[in-house]
Amino acid sequence: MVSDQTSPDAPAGPPFDPSDETPATGTGGDAAPDETGEPEQEDAAGQDDVEHTEATTSAEPADDPDSAEDPEAPDDPEDPAVVDEAQNDDAELAEDAEPAETAETAETTDSEEAVEPGEHVEDHAEDEPEEHAEEEHAEDVEPATAPSLEAATPAPEPEAPSPKPPVSPKPPVAPSDATQLDTSDTTWWRNAIFYQIYPRSFSDANGDGVGDLVGVISRLGYLELLGVDAIWLSPIMCSPMADHGYDVSDPRDIDPVFGSIALFDNLIAEAHARDIRVTMDLVPNHTSDQHEWFRAALAAGPGSPERARYIFRDGRGEGGDEPPNNWLSVFGGPAWHRVTEADGSPGQWYMHIFAPEQPDLNWENPEVFDDLEKTLRFWLDRGVDGFRIDVAHGMAKPEDLPDMDLDATRLLENNDDDPRFNNYAVHAIHRKIRRVMDDYPGAANVGEIWVEDNERFAEYLRPDELHLGFNFRLAKAEFTAESVRAAIENSLEAVLSVNGVPTWTLSNHDVDREVSRYTPDTTDPDGADPEVALADGILAARAMALVELALPGSIFIYNGAELGLPNADLPDEALQDPVWERSGHTERGRDNCRVPIPWEGTEPPYGFSAAADTWLPMPDSWAPFTVETQLEDAGSTLSLYRRAIELRYTRKEFTGSTVEWYGAPDGCLAFRRSEGHLICALNTTDQPVELPPGTVLLSSYPLTDGLLPARSAAWLV
């Protein structure tokens, strides 16, 4: 799927120069350069040999950790899966759900029995995946003109993982017996790799075209192989699905479309047995309009305690026919909806910053936090390792509800002057949440914070508030050296004042996939050929993956990013995002980055489901992106991610909370970790360039005569 757009004979650009500049203030580290400005070099002796991934090279498939269980497991209609009766009871837990490995399945006599945890994985470093056979590309370069790269020698093959014991049924973990994965480790989140699972699109075990918890359980072996620390589940709580789970009707139960509480307990036990933590989405800003509280509010009428749990207001204008203020919904249209009272008369208006089916809660009412605390403890008592807090900069609203600047906002966006978000009273809410979290050692939360100002952003990361805050600057950066460097510098600066931990992500369920963002425009008459443009987008995404994984802090990988998936082109009739309807069909919404994951095979649904019709249609062109195909290709994007994650955990060079910057040619950048001295170089141009001094550890695309190719990145030590 990746084409080399760089000719071996293309002229090289000017070299990276460590002496061009000193470390940037605010992001400098403990290890200072010498008097010439050149960073001190580590002795490369004994370091790993040059690694690379080559998209055009196919190798023998790597041994899978679960392959000894039954790599070619036949269909067995007599072997029932652990599926809640709400999932149609006849759902078959596909034993071949994972290409090149057998899904962990469970037998049960009824839907409330759970799977026994598999073999515990003690440490990432001890579970190194077997390397694919591949050529090494390292060239000796004259020291006078370019840095010297040591010639590569093949690395020894690691031992194959030992087989796991067979799975046997056991009762679900009782909440009183469940704990977080490791209650003695209260800082794991400071350098963790989170893997976001959008459950509807991850894996469907019961064949209804929608992903579910049994599907997630069946793929835990894949996530173990990938090497992630934790999974983050987008909403799985009970919901009418007006916004695919972000409209919660019961925050203390699992929606039947995904499974049951028993299955969720099983998921936690299975994940913990594989040394994987489980975090889940929490939606405290609003509820569903089907929540029992909101139904009671509609029935109770104006001025009632039931309505005081939400933001109801009388309208403006004659007869109250106009909304209380001019606020817009993030999804389009007004942020207010007028109700019809019990007597049939037009009544009050309620606030919904998102869809009308998502009424905002009134966080000035103490009942609201009391109920949230029940929700927090309900899941933490079951062993959940933390939460991703949706709209963490929301919840608190200004008392006077002033009008907003309608010219300064767009759909799905907000700015720092937007009165709908980032009001100071929100910090008192986060302090209350943190006090609950502190009762559960080993648990952590991360907030979705769309705040640009660094000082305001840092306020959310004070020691008594959030553990982590999503910073989206890298996901919003263009694929240029200037934009990427600015995003890195700003993100590090944002947490510096509170000694916080930076977070990095390139995509999520609300953001276009990185491959599509980096793909050159093909709509212009003089634009690139679509296939060439897509290949360039994949090259850039692979390079940015190395940039992201080289940085200090915590990493968030959206499911499918490790496969190099682009956005999917969906027909209008397939769109389900509420933004599509609320915008009057002017904004297509976020469905194109939420299409189900391709696992195996050559045509839709690619092993995602037994159903031909999945909840969002899958492209006919995705066969090269399947997990099955990429596990067998040493040069695939998946292989690149696996190797990069392994190195991040096993190499001493990935230490230091800040970075130091090298001088670099136009269109390039290079930084060094402040303590371990890992160097990361990025070339965003269409020409190869010389590398900084050091020995290449890994490159996103094979070197060209010892040069860093176009749209590529490399790690050096």
Side-chain angles (χ1 to χ4, degrees), residues 352-691:
H352 58 89
I353 296 300
F354 295 91
E357 297 87 353
Q358 297 167 290
D360 280 46
L361 287 161
N362 174 20
W363 276 89
E364 295 181 1
N365 187 330
E367 281 189 79
V368 174
F369 179 78
D370 290 346
D371 190 70
L372 178 69
E373 181 174 358
K374 293 178 183 177
T375 298
L376 291 167
R377 294 189 186 280
F378 178 85
W379 299 111
L380 290 166
D381 286 341
R382 308 196 85 87
V384 165
D385 298 285
F387 302 96
R388 177 264 191 184
I389 301 179
D390 185 59
V391 197
H393 62 314
M395 297 184 280
K397 308 298 190 294
E399 186 175 355
D400 56 348
L401 297 180
D403 282 351
M404 62 185 293
D405 183 354
L406 299 181
D407 295 327
T409 188
R410 298 175 54 195
L411 295 184
L412 297 175
E413 292 183 4
N414 66 270
N415 58 54
D416 286 354
D417 296 323
D418 190 331
R420 300 173 299 176
F421 300 100
N422 197 31
N423 292 283
Y424 279 107
V426 75
H427 297 288
I429 300 171
H430 284 299
R431 285 192 287 273
K432 291 180 180 179
I433 294 174
R434 182 59 178 262
R435 285 196 287 272
V436 175
M437 298 293 292
D438 286 346
D439 287 342
Y440 297 84
N445 56 19
V446 56
E448 179 193 28
I449 309 171
W450 291 94
V451 174
E452 294 290 327
D453 182 78
N454 285 343
E455 290 185 9
R456 298 293 303 276
F457 183 90
E459 290 169 350
Y460 289 87
L461 301 182
R462 289 174 289 203
D464 59 348
E465 295 193 36
L466 292 166
H467 296 81
L468 297 168
F470 269 121
N471 188 314
F472 300 97
R473 292 184 184 275
L474 198 61
K476 294 168 67 176
E478 297 178 357
F479 188 66
T480 66
E482 296 78 12
S483 183
V484 172
R485 175 166 176 167
I488 294 171
E489 290 182 319
N490 194 286
S491 299
L492 292 171
E493 182 68 26
V495 300
L496 184 66
S497 64
V498 290
N499 194 31
V501 175
T503 61
W504 312 98
T505 187
L506 297 174
S507 56
N508 63 31
H509 64 291
D510 288 331
V511 178
D512 283 338
R513 290 194 176 276
E514 50 266 56
V515 167
S516 293
R517 294 201 316 272
Y518 303 147
T519 295
D521 184 18
T522 60
T523 60
D524 188 284
D526 298 325
D529 175 87
E531 290 188 7
V532 174
L534 177 60
D536 281 347
I538 294 172
L539 282 172
R542 290 162 63 98
M544 287 301 297
L546 289 197
V547 172
E548 177 187 36
L549 288 163
L551 290 165
S554 291
I555 309 296
F556 289 81
I557 299 171
Y558 179 44
N559 56 203
E562 78 280 12
L563 304 177
L565 291 182
N567 285 349
D569 292 328
L570 300 174
D572 291 354
E573 60 270 19
L575 299 180
Q576 300 187 33
D577 192 330
V579 173
W580 176 239
E581 294 296 335
R582 294 279 297 170
S583 68
H585 293 184
T586 60
E587 295 286 340
R588 297 183 63 79
R590 301 155 293 177
D591 290 325
N592 57 3
C593 67
R594 299 176 174 182
V595 171
I597 298 299
W599 291 96
E600 60 186 353
T602 58
E603 58 186 24
Y606 302 109
F608 163 75
S609 172
D613 295 326
T614 52
W615 79 278
L616 287 174
M618 303 177 71
D620 292 331
S621 59
W622 274 15
F625 292 102
T626 66
V627 172
E628 178 183 53
T629 297
Q630 296 200 40
L631 282 175
E632 296 176 352
D633 181 0
S636 69
T637 302
L638 176 57
S639 294
L640 175 68
Y641 265 85
R642 287 177 59 195
R643 182 59 176 151
I645 291 171
E646 179 190 23
L647 290 172
R648 180 179 168 93
Y649 282 119
T650 58
R651 297 288 300 211
K652 64 181 181 180
E653 291 86 359
F654 290 84
T655 55
S657 60
T658 58
V659 303
E660 302 159 347
W661 294 96
Y662 280 67
D666 290 342
C668 301
L669 64 79
F671 60 83
R672 186 182 75 166
R673 290 287 290 270
S674 57
E675 294 178 12
H677 296 173
L678 174 87
I679 300 166
C680 180
L682 171 67
N683 177 13
T684 68
T685 74
D686 59 1
Q687 298 294 329
V689 296
E690 294 184 18
L691 286 161

Side-chain angles (χ1 to χ4, degrees), residues 74 134 278 512 581 681 698 703:
E134 53 180 308
V278 177
D512 283 338
E581 294 296 335
L698 181 67
L703 303 185

Side-chain angles (χ1 to χ4, degrees), residues 312-330:
F312 279 86
R313 295 288 187 274
D314 294 329
R316 297 189 295 189
E318 185 176 352
D321 292 338
E322 298 177 12
N325 65 19
N326 74 342
W327 287 11
L328 297 177
S329 161
V330 172

